[in-house]
Amino acid sequence: MKRFLQTLSLAIMAGTLVMAASAAATDRKTIRAAFIEFPPLAYSGADGHPEGSFIHFTEELARRSGYEVAWQGLPIERVYLYLERGDIDLWPGSAGVPELAGFTHETDFRPGEIRLNAYHRGDTPPVKSLEDLQGKRLILIRGYTYFRLLDELKVDPNTYVPLAPDHQSAIRMLAFRRGDYLVNFQAPMEVTIERSPLPDLAHTNLLSWPLSFIFSASAPGTRVMARRFNQAWQELQGDDTTAPPDN
């Protein structure tokens, strides 16, 4: 009987600890979030702190949901890895990425979209679709996955694909005819063009992709976070003081 009571006592203590740990996990006040360099939506400011419209919008939703946000800048492949391992709670980024489907869940709403364009000089004919890029000379930005839509072109022996280290270098490569088309996202390109305009630059929109808040299913408490974000989004409808990110 004594041994039974001791066993029962240990079981109760263990259950209490598990419940306490679970409650603490679901009631955390800080969201561990990651961002990639994607100006003007998300980028590292001059002081090293994250800036951008998507950063500020995320912080506003988090504030309305009862959270603070602890940011870290990461390359996109590291973001995917950390979401899978539960090392971060949240990535404000692209919705419906197939690689993330098995270990993430998203909010119910889409706060905006990003646009992928094919930029070209005035003496180069425009393209109409991704398929038209095959066999061309394409300048891509190193570190971007392009939703894996260009992977086949990267290994196509008839398609030349030089990689630019950043947006500024990509425009210079296009100006110096290192490629026929620069495939890049509209938001960071607009920022770069303002700083370094290229005469007679034109572009064709290839696709638009929705934005979302992607939470790690491997991190504790993230379903509660996502639910509170959904509620905060509903409260924001009709509030003109907080604009969602776009472009």
Side-chain angles (χ1 to χ4, degrees):
M1 184 67 175
K2 183 177 180 180
R3 179 173 297 179
F4 170 77
L5 291 175
Q6 289 176 338
T7 303
L8 180 61
S9 177
L10 289 173
I12 292 173
M13 290 176 60
T16 302
L17 290 173
V18 169
M19 292 175 62
S22 177
T26 57
D27 198 33
R28 288 189 290 123
K29 297 302 182 184
T30 301
I31 296 176
R32 303 167 301 163
F35 70 96
I36 64 171
E37 293 292 330
F38 199 91
L41 274 66
Y43 61 96
S44 299
D47 58 359
H49 291 92
E51 297 288 347
S53 58
F54 209 2
I55 295 289
H56 299 317
F57 186 69
T58 302
E59 291 176 340
E60 175 62 18
L61 280 182
R63 184 188 67 79
R64 290 172 177 259
S65 302
Y67 298 102
E68 296 180 346
V69 183
W71 293 102
Q72 58 177 313
L74 296 171
I76 188 62
E77 298 292 356
R78 191 71 61 82
V79 170
Y80 291 0
L81 175 63
Y82 281 19
L83 284 170
E84 182 177 13
R85 298 194 317 200
D87 293 339
I88 57 174
D89 303 310
L90 168 66
W91 173 50
S94 306
V97 177
E99 295 165 87
L100 304 181
F103 48 85
T104 61
H105 49 88
E106 302 181 11
T107 50
D108 297 335
F109 60 92
R110 301 290 182 262
E113 65 178 19
I114 52 177
R115 301 175 183 91
L116 183 66
N117 299 332
Y119 295 85
H120 60 91
R121 299 178 304 274
D123 58 359
T124 305
V127 294
K128 297 181 180 180
S129 65
L130 290 169
E131 290 74 18
D132 293 341
L133 297 173
Q134 187 171 10
K136 306 297 193 299
R137 299 185 305 155
L138 309 179
I139 302 169
L140 305 182
I141 308 297
R142 180 178 290 115
Y144 281 0
T145 65
Y146 294 95
F147 313 117
R148 303 300 182 193
L149 296 174
L150 303 180
D151 285 0
E152 291 186 7
L153 294 177
K154 292 179 181 180
V155 297
D156 178 13
N158 298 316
T159 304
Y160 176 61
V161 186
L163 297 179
D166 51 49
H167 306 285
Q168 189 82 39
S169 300
I171 285 189
R172 286 199 297 265
M173 291 171 68
L174 186 64
F176 289 124
R177 301 181 180 274
R178 293 279 306 279
D180 302 315
Y181 302 93
L182 164 57
V183 183
N184 200 0
F185 294 96
Q186 183 168 317
M189 271 296 289
E190 288 181 344
V191 174
T192 307
I193 292 170
E194 286 182 6
R195 298 172 180 169
S196 303
L198 180 62
D200 73 358
L201 181 69
H203 72 268
T204 300
N205 178 244
L206 298 174
L207 59 87
S208 298
W209 199 281
L211 295 170
S212 186
F213 293 94
I214 299 92
F215 287 90
S216 170
S218 304
T222 54
R223 292 199 177 275
V224 174
M225 295 174 185
R227 185 169 66 249
R228 291 179 179 174
F229 266 51
N230 288 332
Q231 294 169 349
W233 169 259
Q234 291 298 324
E235 294 171 2
L236 278 175
Q237 301 310 295
D239 184 350
D240 297 332
T241 62
T242 303
D246 200 4
N247 205 345

